[in-house]
Amino acid sequence: MTDIRHDWSRADIGALFDLPFNDLIHRAQTIHRRYFDPNAVQVSTLLSIKTGACPEDCGYCPQSARHDTELKHEPLMALEAVVTAARAARDAGASRFCMGAAWRNPREKDFVHVLDMVREVKALGLETCVTLGMLHGDQPERLKSAGLDYYNHNLDTSPEYYGQVITTRTYQDRLDTLEQVRSAGVNVCSGGIVGMGEAREDRVGLLQALANLPEHPQSVPINYLVQVAGTPLAGTAGLDPFEFVRTIAVARVVMPASVVRLSAGREGMDDALQALCFLAGANSIFYGDKLLTTDNPAAERDRALFGRLGLTPAEPEQRSAGVGTADRAAPVAANG
Ligand code: SAM
Ligand code: DTB
Ligand code: SF4
């Protein structure tokens, strides 16, 4: 029987969340070892190529024009500056470079510049990822032709809780964007945010929506809300850290061959909590002092953490064995 399923019920996923913590971690770690080298972690670096003044109203986001945050707005970056940042990320040890823009969707005159960025970053030998909001027409195919490896577009939360957080685009809009990206043959990076005041049932609903997509996203970022003053979600009650670890573990169980990224929120986590997340099946991080606009742990701290835990940056070959073929990957032999 294959572990790769697309028929997860809420009850199935809820039952995983309800397991005793040790049983859940054991199950997640066992599955993780069937599909991945347990000591390899994929390393991506983010860059905000267009910052702030976004017309959308996402309640968590410091870049929405509707929230009064202290963020400085920046227009689309020049190509050379993006290439310089990508080269620095590569030289610091990242294997993927993710470019994010605070847009509802890219306008054509900006989009052609993003295509150039993808081409040039790819030419540095890096994997490429962009997150630009909704796409139209042949934009997904043009990104693919330019050398795009991944498109990030998150479902963010359950269909039921979604309307509490975002009103300017629908859950269906997001599913449609994922479909367009998938059809163009670009790997999908899609996950969500926890700690937004949602119930466990919403974390169950998010993971169900992701795991029951026609193909599992090749990459699944699990973000812990970074609370930014001036956003509607600032001041939300914190989540029990073990519930965050459970969310990672359940993501690993329901999407066994997908790379699960321990994403935003690491700056507020101690090393022991991050180690638990890796044990629960997280095998990717954002690396570098900044996420898009907020702080991420310093690169030296992450290098020290990898050293202490015996983790190594995933080789491109290892990643391609699992990534890009999430629904087709054969399990690898258990490794220790
Ligand atoms: N504007 C595009 C979009 O929303 O599709 C791309 C950039 S947007 C910043 C990318 C993702 O970052 C969001 O979908 C959300 O999941 C995540 N994000 C934004 N602000 C966050 C925060 N404060 N904490 C955690 N994750 C956040
Ligand atoms: C994702 O899931 N998390 C990243 C990336 N995809 C684009 C973004 C996190 C943003 C955190 C808030 C900020 O730095 O602005
Ligand atoms: Fe805009 Fe993306 Fe932020 Fe939403 S998450 S406000 S779409 S930048």
Side-chain angles (χ1 to χ4, degrees):
M1 193 185 91
T2 173
D3 304 312
I4 309 277
R5 291 174 45 189
H6 299 269
D7 61 350
W8 292 96
S9 68
R10 293 262 174 133
D12 293 336
I13 298 179
L16 291 169
F17 267 96
D18 288 344
L19 283 171
F21 188 79
N22 288 348
D23 290 347
L24 174 58
I25 300 303
H26 180 260
R27 180 131 171 214
Q29 178 64 205
T30 303
I31 289 182
H32 189 63
R33 282 166 185 262
R34 274 191 219 136
Y35 287 86
F36 292 102
D37 173 345
N39 302 307
V41 173
Q42 189 278 330
V43 174
S44 294
T45 292
L46 276 168
L47 177 69
S48 181
I49 58 171
K50 185 269 170 182
T51 306
C54 183
E56 302 284 80
D57 71 351
C58 312
Y60 47 75
C61 186
Q63 304 203 65
S64 168
R66 299 164 192 240
H67 312 326
D68 191 11
T69 61
E70 300 209 326
L71 187 69
K72 190 163 171 280
H73 301 168
E74 302 281 354
L76 187 61
M77 284 175 70
L79 178 61
E80 299 72 54
V82 172
V83 173
T84 300
R87 196 178 290 113
R90 181 196 65 188
D91 294 348
S95 59
R96 188 179 310 160
F97 195 64
C98 307
M99 295 165 270
W103 289 323
R104 173 176 166 84
N105 56 268
R107 289 177 303 182
E108 185 57 28
K109 82 174 186 33
D110 295 322
F111 185 73
V112 290
H113 291 301
V114 175
L115 292 178
D116 287 339
M117 292 172 190
V118 170
R119 275 185 211 103
E120 300 251 339
V121 170
K122 183 79 177 167
L124 294 175
L126 283 158
E127 291 184 323
T128 54
C129 175
V130 294
T131 179
L132 313 173
M134 294 188 279
L135 296 175
H136 293 297
D138 61 0
Q139 287 179 336
E141 287 75 19
R142 290 160 73 202
L143 284 166
K144 170 81 181 169
S145 304
L148 187 71
D149 295 305
Y150 290 82
Y151 195 84
N152 167 244
H153 197 72
N154 291 335
L155 293 181
D156 278 347
T157 187
S158 68
E160 294 79 13
Y161 196 65
Y162 183 85
Q164 305 282 315
V165 181
I166 300 142
T167 69
T168 49
R169 84 175 87 151
T170 66
Y171 212 76
Q172 190 59 47
D173 289 332
R174 290 183 185 252
L175 293 169
D176 292 347
T177 303
L178 296 183
E179 170 59 31
Q180 290 172 289
V181 169
R182 210 168 31 241
S183 301
V186 174
N187 290 310
V188 167
C189 172
S190 188
I193 310 177
V194 299
M196 298 196 292
E198 77 285 347
R200 176 180 276 183
E201 183 58 24
D202 298 306
R203 294 184 281 280
V204 170
L206 166 67
L207 295 181
Q208 184 194 33
L210 292 167
N212 288 351
L213 288 169
E215 275 182 47
H216 293 168
Q218 284 74 23
S219 172
V220 179
I222 304 294
N223 296 276
Y224 184 76
L225 175 68
V226 179
Q227 298 199 9
V228 179
T231 60
L233 290 182
T236 304
L239 188 71
D240 177 358
F242 296 132
E243 182 69 11
F244 182 79
V245 180
R246 281 181 187 275
T247 308
I248 298 256
V250 176
R252 166 53 61 225
V253 172
V254 299
M255 292 170 280
S258 301
V259 170
V260 175
R261 183 173 304 117
L262 169 54
S263 301
R266 288 197 304 117
E267 179 65 348
M269 297 179 194
D270 65 16
D271 289 352
L273 177 56
Q274 294 186 58
L276 266 184
C277 291
F278 295 128
L279 190 64
N283 58 348
S284 171
I285 58 164
F286 286 125
Y287 170 70
D289 304 2
K290 264 217 163 351
L291 292 163
L292 289 174
T293 68
T294 63
D295 290 344
N296 197 42
E300 309 85 75
R301 179 178 158 199
D302 282 340
R303 284 195 292 268
L305 180 61
F306 274 37
R308 288 166 70 206
L309 299 178
L311 297 174
T312 49
E315 294 299 321
E317 293 73 28
Q318 287 171 329
R319 285 197 311 277
S320 59
V323 177
T325 54
D327 275 359
R328 298 174 289 278
V332 294
N335 191 350

